[in-house]
Amino acid sequence: MNMQGFKFIFNRNQILALMFLLIVTASCKKETEYIYEVNPVSARKDQINKGIPKSTVEFISIAYSDLFGETIPQNSLGKLTLLYLAFGDKHLIEDMLIKNMLNSPSVSLPSNQNMRNDIPLFVNNAYLKLYNREPNELEAYTLGQSISDDTDLTPELIYYSMMTSDEYRYY
């Protein structure tokens, strides 16, 4: 059978409708439903229920006593409180206060040698002193491993990082 002898019995609109129907049916596929079996896990915060922010006076007083082992003199507290309140970016002023306190020659921190002699004790004491809690296993392992792997890590840097964290800002 040759093509010249073949007569088309469809008009143009019927051909368009047929093409549309073919396109729609070809593109419609039944979606495959995938089922993944996952064990249920309850997500919760660690046992840290710190939601109350420290006031300006509390933050300065606690930071000072954590680093110097004594209460801050009243005139120093007044000056630092005024500075703290006058500055817009609270995180930045807290950062600067902690840095200045840590750079003081009278700051009371363990020596680098003492830290490296008993890393688990240092980590535990730092958490107790700064966060009023013991570190969980992951925190103790991670910080302990960081101290043993990095000889440039000093007690000042560890205290700085812990004291400028969000957890330190809250009760």
Side-chain angles (χ1 to χ4, degrees):
M1 180 170 171
N2 64 16
M3 290 300 281
Q4 291 174 348
F6 185 69
K7 288 187 173 182
F8 288 102
I9 53 174
F10 297 108
N11 68 22
R12 184 173 188 265
N13 288 339
Q14 289 173 328
I15 291 174
L16 288 175
L18 184 62
M19 286 177 54
F20 177 74
L21 184 63
L22 286 174
I23 290 172
V24 168
T25 56
S27 65
C28 292
K29 296 180 194 173
K30 182 178 180 184
E31 289 189 24
T32 307
E33 185 175 321
Y34 295 100
I35 299 175
Y36 297 98
E37 294 185 29
V38 179
N39 295 334
V41 176
S42 63
R44 62 177 173 78
K45 278 188 169 183
D46 201 8
Q47 299 168 354
I48 305 167
N49 295 324
K50 296 184 174 187
I52 303 168
K54 295 175 183 172
S55 71
T56 303
V57 172
E58 291 169 336
F59 180 83
I60 295 169
S61 299
I62 293 170
Y64 189 90
S65 64
D66 283 344
L67 293 176
F68 296 99
E70 59 186 30
T71 25
I72 187 169
Q74 194 64 32
N75 62 345
S76 297
L77 179 61
K79 289 176 187 176
L80 290 175
T81 302
L82 184 61
L83 175 70
Y84 188 96
L85 293 173
F87 207 83
D89 187 352
K90 299 305 179 205
H91 288 289
L92 181 61
I93 196 67
E94 290 169 2
D95 181 71
M96 292 172 65
L97 283 170
I98 299 299
K99 279 183 187 177
N100 284 328
M101 288 181 190
L102 284 169
N103 287 330
S104 172
S106 58
V107 71
S108 174
L109 292 179
S111 69
N112 196 18
Q113 188 61 42
N114 286 343
M115 175 183 74
R116 296 199 180 277
N117 285 342
D118 195 351
I119 294 173
L121 179 66
F122 171 80
V123 170
N124 196 54
N125 288 344
Y127 268 83
L128 285 172
K129 185 174 194 168
L130 301 175
Y131 294 157
N132 296 319
R133 66 176 180 86
E134 292 184 352
N136 64 33
E137 290 179 19
L138 178 64
E139 292 167 332
Y141 173 79
T142 305
L143 185 54
Q145 196 66 36
S146 297
I147 293 169
S148 62
D149 289 348
D150 188 356
T151 57
D152 292 332
L153 201 55
T154 63
E156 290 84 7
L157 288 173
I158 293 168
Y159 271 60
Y160 170 75
S161 64
M162 292 177 76
M163 292 177 79
T164 56
S165 70
D166 284 338
E167 184 174 350
Y168 191 77
R169 290 180 174 98
Y170 292 88
Y171 281 118

